Amino acid sequence: MLIEQPAKWLRWLYPRATWRMDKNERSVYLTFDDGPIPESTPFILETLKKFNAKATFFMVGENVMRHHDLYTQIVQEGHQVGNHTYNHIGSLKHWAITYAYNTEKANQLIHAHLFRPPHGWMKHSVYWWMSRRYRIIMWDVVTRDYSKWMTAEDIFENVKKYTRNGSIITFHDSLKSIEKLHYALPKALQWLKDQGYEFKTFE
């Protein structure tokens, strides 16, 4: 559960980050990390359209550079974009200034005011820097669709088990997840809709 739904002590590490939205609203915030790539993004967009759902895509700058047509499609279809660094670097191995430069390089392509750190971790020097430049969006539910130990059914069950009012749900727009998302994403969206959740993006 520590992975699927982060504990309070983990949330306290980054108090200015957004982990969950309004717990009094029957709404969820769908997010997709690591894209865009042609092997998965088109299916995700098609599925979201079928359910009239908007999402936030936290993109890697080098993927945007390679597949700018997909970035354009995401924006044109009314989804929100966020920065996920230029080449998915972790902050623990880099100076804060190096990390900030990498993120700004990505933002020249992404044009986002939202940021999510790869792997969900930041050194406090990086956190201090990023929190003054971006709104940092973390998560309330991680589906673990990237894990080779998880089945498509497991992904769907994680959504059902851990989602609550205001949940920020994290899927992945990646090669590791797409095979499972072919089953799990439509099932999850239908279940969320049946439960009365509204799909929202961040102001």
Side-chain angles (χ1 to χ4, degrees), residues 164-180:
R164 52 189 177 171
N165 286 359
S167 281
I168 300 170
I169 305 174
T170 298
F171 295 95
H172 288 79
D173 183 1
S174 70
L175 292 174
K176 291 182 179 179
S177 65
I178 188 56
E179 184 176 344
K180 285 168 278 191

PDB file of all heavy atoms in Angstrom, residues 164-180:
ATOM      1  N   ARG A 164     -10.461   7.395  -4.191  1.00  0.00           N
ATOM      2  CA  ARG A 164     -11.406   8.069  -3.304  1.00  0.00           C
ATOM      3  C   ARG A 164     -11.626   9.475  -3.835  1.00  0.00           C
ATOM      4  O   ARG A 164     -11.015   9.875  -4.843  1.00  0.00           O
ATOM      5  CB  ARG A 164     -10.848   8.098  -1.882  1.00  0.00           C
ATOM      6  CG  ARG A 164      -9.440   8.668  -1.795  1.00  0.00           C
ATOM      7  CD  ARG A 164      -8.832   8.493  -0.424  1.00  0.00           C
ATOM      8  NE  ARG A 164      -7.449   8.975  -0.390  1.00  0.00           N
ATOM      9  CZ  ARG A 164      -6.744   9.096   0.722  1.00  0.00           C
ATOM     10  NH1 ARG A 164      -7.273   8.751   1.884  1.00  0.00           N
ATOM     11  NH2 ARG A 164      -5.496   9.538   0.687  1.00  0.00           N
ATOM     12  N   ASN A 165     -12.502  10.231  -3.198  1.00  0.00           N
ATOM     13  CA  ASN A 165     -12.768  11.594  -3.654  1.00  0.00           C
ATOM     14  C   ASN A 165     -11.475  12.399  -3.756  1.00  0.00           C
ATOM     15  O   ASN A 165     -10.677  12.427  -2.818  1.00  0.00           O
ATOM     16  CB  ASN A 165     -13.712  12.304  -2.681  1.00  0.00           C
ATOM     17  CG  ASN A 165     -15.141  11.824  -2.784  1.00  0.00           C
ATOM     18  OD1 ASN A 165     -15.464  10.954  -3.598  1.00  0.00           O
ATOM     19  ND2 ASN A 165     -16.016  12.379  -1.961  1.00  0.00           N
ATOM     20  N   GLY A 166     -11.286  13.056  -4.887  1.00  0.00           N
ATOM     21  CA  GLY A 166     -10.119  13.911  -5.082  1.00  0.00           C
ATOM     22  C   GLY A 166      -8.839  13.184  -5.436  1.00  0.00           C
ATOM     23  O   GLY A 166      -7.770  13.811  -5.501  1.00  0.00           O
ATOM     24  N   SER A 167      -8.907  11.885  -5.681  1.00  0.00           N
ATOM     25  CA  SER A 167      -7.689  11.124  -5.986  1.00  0.00           C
ATOM     26  C   SER A 167      -7.011  11.604  -7.268  1.00  0.00           C
ATOM     27  O   SER A 167      -7.671  11.869  -8.277  1.00  0.00           O
ATOM     28  CB  SER A 167      -8.001   9.632  -6.127  1.00  0.00           C
ATOM     29  OG  SER A 167      -8.130   9.013  -4.866  1.00  0.00           O
ATOM     30  N   ILE A 168      -5.698  11.703  -7.203  1.00  0.00           N
ATOM     31  CA  ILE A 168      -4.856  11.930  -8.381  1.00  0.00           C
ATOM     32  C   ILE A 168      -4.313  10.556  -8.745  1.00  0.00           C
ATOM     33  O   ILE A 168      -3.516   9.965  -8.015  1.00  0.00           O
ATOM     34  CB  ILE A 168      -3.713  12.909  -8.072  1.00  0.00           C
ATOM     35  CG1 ILE A 168      -4.282  14.256  -7.615  1.00  0.00           C
ATOM     36  CG2 ILE A 168      -2.814  13.085  -9.300  1.00  0.00           C
ATOM     37  CD1 ILE A 168      -3.219  15.199  -7.063  1.00  0.00           C
ATOM     38  N   ILE A 169      -4.772  10.015  -9.877  1.00  0.00           N
ATOM     39  CA  ILE A 169      -4.462   8.639 -10.266  1.00  0.00           C
ATOM     40  C   ILE A 169      -3.364   8.643 -11.329  1.00  0.00           C
ATOM     41  O   ILE A 169      -3.492   9.320 -12.354  1.00  0.00           O
ATOM     42  CB  ILE A 169      -5.712   7.934 -10.813  1.00  0.00           C
ATOM     43  CG1 ILE A 169      -6.856   8.006  -9.785  1.00  0.00           C
ATOM     44  CG2 ILE A 169      -5.401   6.478 -11.160  1.00  0.00           C
ATOM     45  CD1 ILE A 169      -8.185   7.469 -10.299  1.00  0.00           C
ATOM     46  N   THR A 170      -2.326   7.877 -11.085  1.00  0.00           N
ATOM     47  CA  THR A 170      -1.189   7.844 -12.010  1.00  0.00           C
ATOM     48  C   THR A 170      -1.142   6.556 -12.815  1.00  0.00           C
ATOM     49  O   THR A 170      -1.031   5.461 -12.263  1.00  0.00           O
ATOM     50  CB  THR A 170       0.136   8.001 -11.236  1.00  0.00           C
ATOM     51  OG1 THR A 170       0.138   9.270 -10.577  1.00  0.00           O
ATOM     52  CG2 THR A 170       1.323   7.934 -12.188  1.00  0.00           C
ATOM     53  N   PHE A 171      -1.246   6.729 -14.141  1.00  0.00           N
ATOM     54  CA  PHE A 171      -0.968   5.689 -15.119  1.00  0.00           C
ATOM     55  C   PHE A 171       0.325   6.072 -15.836  1.00  0.00           C
ATOM     56  O   PHE A 171       0.876   7.148 -15.603  1.00  0.00           O
ATOM     57  CB  PHE A 171      -2.100   5.576 -16.144  1.00  0.00           C
ATOM     58  CG  PHE A 171      -3.423   5.132 -15.599  1.00  0.00           C
ATOM     59  CD1 PHE A 171      -4.389   6.067 -15.233  1.00  0.00           C
ATOM     60  CD2 PHE A 171      -3.731   3.780 -15.487  1.00  0.00           C
ATOM     61  CE1 PHE A 171      -5.625   5.660 -14.746  1.00  0.00           C
ATOM     62  CE2 PHE A 171      -4.967   3.359 -15.001  1.00  0.00           C
ATOM     63  CZ  PHE A 171      -5.908   4.301 -14.628  1.00  0.00           C
ATOM     64  N   HIS A 172       0.785   5.203 -16.739  1.00  0.00           N
ATOM     65  CA  HIS A 172       1.996   5.499 -17.500  1.00  0.00           C
ATOM     66  C   HIS A 172       1.751   5.368 -18.999  1.00  0.00           C
ATOM     67  O   HIS A 172       1.121   4.404 -19.454  1.00  0.00           O
ATOM     68  CB  HIS A 172       3.153   4.604 -17.058  1.00  0.00           C
ATOM     69  CG  HIS A 172       3.672   4.979 -15.707  1.00  0.00           C
ATOM     70  ND1 HIS A 172       3.045   4.611 -14.542  1.00  0.00           N
ATOM     71  CD2 HIS A 172       4.752   5.734 -15.332  1.00  0.00           C
ATOM     72  CE1 HIS A 172       3.693   5.104 -13.510  1.00  0.00           C
ATOM     73  NE2 HIS A 172       4.730   5.791 -13.959  1.00  0.00           N
ATOM     74  N   ASP A 173       2.236   6.334 -19.717  1.00  0.00           N
ATOM     75  CA  ASP A 173       2.189   6.374 -21.173  1.00  0.00           C
ATOM     76  C   ASP A 173       3.522   5.816 -21.661  1.00  0.00           C
ATOM     77  O   ASP A 173       4.415   6.562 -22.064  1.00  0.00           O
ATOM     78  CB  ASP A 173       1.978   7.833 -21.608  1.00  0.00           C
ATOM     79  CG  ASP A 173       1.840   8.016 -23.100  1.00  0.00           C
ATOM     80  OD1 ASP A 173       1.889   7.015 -23.836  1.00  0.00           O
ATOM     81  OD2 ASP A 173       1.708   9.174 -23.538  1.00  0.00           O
ATOM     82  N   SER A 174       3.668   4.484 -21.605  1.00  0.00           N
ATOM     83  CA  SER A 174       4.983   3.889 -21.832  1.00  0.00           C
ATOM     84  C   SER A 174       4.883   2.472 -22.377  1.00  0.00           C
ATOM     85  O   SER A 174       3.822   1.842 -22.323  1.00  0.00           O
ATOM     86  CB  SER A 174       5.775   3.860 -20.513  1.00  0.00           C
ATOM     87  OG  SER A 174       5.209   2.911 -19.631  1.00  0.00           O
ATOM     88  N   LEU A 175       6.011   1.976 -22.858  1.00  0.00           N
ATOM     89  CA  LEU A 175       6.073   0.611 -23.370  1.00  0.00           C
ATOM     90  C   LEU A 175       5.835  -0.412 -22.258  1.00  0.00           C
ATOM     91  O   LEU A 175       5.285  -1.485 -22.502  1.00  0.00           O
ATOM     92  CB  LEU A 175       7.430   0.359 -24.024  1.00  0.00           C
ATOM     93  CG  LEU A 175       7.712   1.132 -25.313  1.00  0.00           C
ATOM     94  CD1 LEU A 175       9.151   0.901 -25.766  1.00  0.00           C
ATOM     95  CD2 LEU A 175       6.736   0.712 -26.414  1.00  0.00           C
ATOM     96  N   LYS A 176       6.253  -0.095 -21.039  1.00  0.00           N
ATOM     97  CA  LYS A 176       6.101  -1.032 -19.930  1.00  0.00           C
ATOM     98  C   LYS A 176       4.640  -1.232 -19.542  1.00  0.00           C
ATOM     99  O   LYS A 176       4.280  -2.272 -18.992  1.00  0.00           O
ATOM    100  CB  LYS A 176       6.882  -0.539 -18.712  1.00  0.00           C
ATOM    101  CG  LYS A 176       8.390  -0.597 -18.867  1.00  0.00           C
ATOM    102  CD  LYS A 176       9.065  -0.124 -17.586  1.00  0.00           C
ATOM    103  CE  LYS A 176      10.582  -0.195 -17.696  1.00  0.00           C
ATOM    104  NZ  LYS A 176      11.241   0.285 -16.450  1.00  0.00           N
ATOM    105  N   SER A 177       3.817  -0.243 -19.809  1.00  0.00           N
ATOM    106  CA  SER A 177       2.442  -0.288 -19.310  1.00  0.00           C
ATOM    107  C   SER A 177       1.384  -0.564 -20.362  1.00  0.00           C
ATOM    108  O   SER A 177       0.294  -1.033 -20.030  1.00  0.00           O
ATOM    109  CB  SER A 177       2.107   1.044 -18.635  1.00  0.00           C
ATOM    110  OG  SER A 177       2.124   2.093 -19.589  1.00  0.00           O
ATOM    111  N   ILE A 178       1.676  -0.289 -21.633  1.00  0.00           N
ATOM    112  CA  ILE A 178       0.607  -0.223 -22.621  1.00  0.00           C
ATOM    113  C   ILE A 178      -0.135  -1.538 -22.814  1.00  0.00           C
ATOM    114  O   ILE A 178      -1.360  -1.558 -22.988  1.00  0.00           O
ATOM    115  CB  ILE A 178       1.137   0.316 -23.983  1.00  0.00           C
ATOM    116  CG1 ILE A 178      -0.020   0.557 -24.950  1.00  0.00           C
ATOM    117  CG2 ILE A 178       2.187  -0.603 -24.568  1.00  0.00           C
ATOM    118  CD1 ILE A 178      -1.093   1.497 -24.414  1.00  0.00           C
ATOM    119  N   GLU A 179       0.555  -2.658 -22.758  1.00  0.00           N
ATOM    120  CA  GLU A 179      -0.135  -3.942 -22.959  1.00  0.00           C
ATOM    121  C   GLU A 179      -1.210  -4.146 -21.884  1.00  0.00           C
ATOM    122  O   GLU A 179      -2.321  -4.597 -22.175  1.00  0.00           O
ATOM    123  CB  GLU A 179       0.867  -5.092 -22.938  1.00  0.00           C
ATOM    124  CG  GLU A 179       0.238  -6.437 -23.234  1.00  0.00           C
ATOM    125  CD  GLU A 179       1.262  -7.560 -23.311  1.00  0.00           C
ATOM    126  OE1 GLU A 179       2.474  -7.263 -23.441  1.00  0.00           O
ATOM    127  OE2 GLU A 179       0.846  -8.724 -23.225  1.00  0.00           O
ATOM    128  N   LYS A 180      -0.887  -3.787 -20.638  1.00  0.00           N
ATOM    129  CA  LYS A 180      -1.856  -3.929 -19.554  1.00  0.00           C
ATOM    130  C   LYS A 180      -2.957  -2.871 -19.643  1.00  0.00           C
ATOM    131  O   LYS A 180      -4.108  -3.131 -19.281  1.00  0.00           O
ATOM    132  CB  LYS A 180      -1.136  -3.848 -18.209  1.00  0.00           C
ATOM    133  CG  LYS A 180      -0.366  -5.112 -17.870  1.00  0.00           C
ATOM    134  CD  LYS A 180       0.569  -4.940 -16.700  1.00  0.00           C
ATOM    135  CE  LYS A 180       1.864  -4.307 -17.099  1.00  0.00           C
ATOM    136  NZ  LYS A 180       2.898  -4.351 -16.053  1.00  0.00           N
TER     137      LYS A 180
END
